[in-house]
Amino acid sequence: MNTQAQAQGAPSEFSMKKILPILLAVATGMFLIILDSTIMNVAVPKLVDTFHSNLGTIQWVITAYTLALSAVIPLAGWFSDRFTPKRMFLASIVLFVIASMLCALAQTPEQLIIYRIFQALGGGMVSPIGIAMVFKVSPPDKRGSVMGILGIPMLLAPIFGPILSGWLIEFINWHWIFLINLPVGIIAFWMAWRYLPASKPGKEMKLDILGAILAPIAFASLVFSVHQAGEKGWLDDWTLGTLGLGVVTLLLFIWNELKQKHPLLELRVFRSKTFTHGIILAWMNQMALFGSILLFTLYLQQAKGLSPLEAGLYVIPQAIMSTIGINIGGKLFDRYGVRPIAFIGIFSLAGALFALTHISTSTSSFYIMCSFAFVGLGQGLTMMQLNTHVLKSAPIELVNRVTPITTSAQQIMSSFGITITAAYLSNQIRSLPAQHTLEQLGQAFGHTFWITLSFALIALVLTFFLQKSSAPPKKAR
């Protein structure tokens, strides 16, 4: 019996010791990419002044990055299978860091936009390849805990990015929002080179050429149409044209993928009701989260009149609760499955967003920080647990091809959430009197939180229909 107990306990002990370096290497690479994306959101006003440009032009620094990211993510699975995950992970980090150095040297907005596209071509593959590698080396009964740890950079980078960006811009200069990627990138590269497992390339893997053409067009067109709708409305010619192009090419892409023996993205996983339900729930959750994060920054700076650095400090409670939530959530996921932890997390998020619908300019700092903290708790409890649930519902041999699906969809749905929220906020502000007060502006933000709350409530309802099969089966006595 002792021998049996040791045999049962060995995998758990082995996993924690053997995969921790791999986990840290992937987490560092993901932190590098996500941190850069969040730093840019705060830097836009400074870049407008630096380049003597306008907001519409500088916004393309972010929009072009998002478009390139959406275009390259679907290719991650094939590149990973063809050239090995480790090589592609290393190559992606190198390209990202080189492009970051070029961004720091940019002399015109056009140069910065082009260099940001190169950044995205490298950064787009890091998360899907990294998540797939960690998932495959994790013991099945520990995947919730392991993937929960991996989710920490996904939660902390968007929170600490604005703080770091505000400090660099205020006390040093804008170049350092890109130069900071050099030391972080060197550490990420060294850890990946040292600890990520090597494997043999799949030379027999054939590229789905038609899929490789259609996927970038479809994803980039959809993301562009959403961004364009946020600026010029859904009836704008460019919005309708790119939306139509995106829908048509997406349908052609789906038709092509279902015919292929070795498709670019393994869309057959959508035949699984568990996978489909899980990913729709994750989409609603992401739209609520990312739309809310946008409102946090704008509300603190525009309605409360805080500096970027001060606004960043306001979300520290959110970072703390996110970290607590993701550590607790992973362990609970392994023990009880996805349904209870998803319900608790999304209930926390929905409750916090309901509280934020009542904010105004005079709302106390304590009220705001507490609300942000419970949003963070909801983030931590649900984000990686839902992703793990979705990945567990797919065959293990298809994980390399499934992570690009989930990452691409996350990018698109996050853009939808941000754009819909921003468009509603703009309409709320436009409806205010010409000589409106700050109090009225604050109330406009409060009304806009109803939009993100609606996404959270849809997600909350969907948690009741989650399958219990995600919980590992109990060992026979």
Side-chain angles (χ1 to χ4, degrees), residues 75-151:
L75 302 173
W78 182 83
F79 275 107
S80 179
D81 289 339
R82 179 64 180 83
F83 299 104
T84 78
K86 180 175 182 177
R87 290 178 183 175
M88 287 309 305
F89 195 89
L90 291 170
S92 297
I93 290 176
V94 170
L95 177 57
F96 184 85
V97 172
I98 292 174
S100 297
M101 299 302 99
L102 292 174
C103 288
L105 299 174
Q107 301 296 313
T108 65
E110 292 75 20
Q111 290 180 2
L112 185 57
I113 291 169
I114 292 171
Y115 297 150
R116 284 281 288 170
I117 292 174
F118 288 131
Q119 260 194 320
L121 296 179
M125 294 194 186
V126 170
S127 289
I129 292 175
I131 291 173
M133 291 178 72
V134 171
F135 187 86
K136 292 175 76 172
V137 300
S138 303
D141 62 334
K142 294 292 181 182
R143 281 179 181 149
S145 300
V146 172
M147 297 297 283
I149 297 172
L150 186 62

Side-chain angles (χ1 to χ4, degrees), residues 12-134:
S12 204
E13 183 180 354
F14 173 84
S15 67
M16 296 309 296
K17 289 184 178 181
K18 295 294 183 182
I19 71 172
L20 187 58
I22 300 174
L23 189 60
L24 292 176
V26 172
T28 305
M30 291 174 59
F31 183 83
L32 168 70
I33 307 303
I34 301 171
L35 182 69
D36 179 83
S37 299
T38 57
I39 280 178
M40 282 302 303
N41 292 332
V42 179
V44 168
K46 179 64 176 179
L47 295 176
V48 170
D49 295 336
T50 300
F51 290 109
H52 306 290
S53 185
N54 56 69
L55 183 60
T57 300
I58 296 300
Q59 279 182 332
W60 273 99
V61 173
I62 296 176
T63 303
Y65 181 90
T66 306
L67 292 174
L69 207 65
S70 303
V72 75
I73 286 172
L75 302 173
W78 182 83
F79 275 107
S80 179
D81 289 339
R82 179 64 180 83
F83 299 104
T84 78
K86 180 175 182 177
R87 290 178 183 175
M88 287 309 305
F89 195 89
L90 291 170
S92 297
I93 290 176
V94 170
L95 177 57
F96 184 85
V97 172
I98 292 174
S100 297
M101 299 302 99
L102 292 174
C103 288
L105 299 174
Q107 301 296 313
T108 65
E110 292 75 20
Q111 290 180 2
L112 185 57
I113 291 169
I114 292 171
Y115 297 150
R116 284 281 288 170
I117 292 174
F118 288 131
Q119 260 194 320
L121 296 179
M125 294 194 186
V126 170
S127 289
I129 292 175
I131 291 173
M133 291 178 72
V134 171

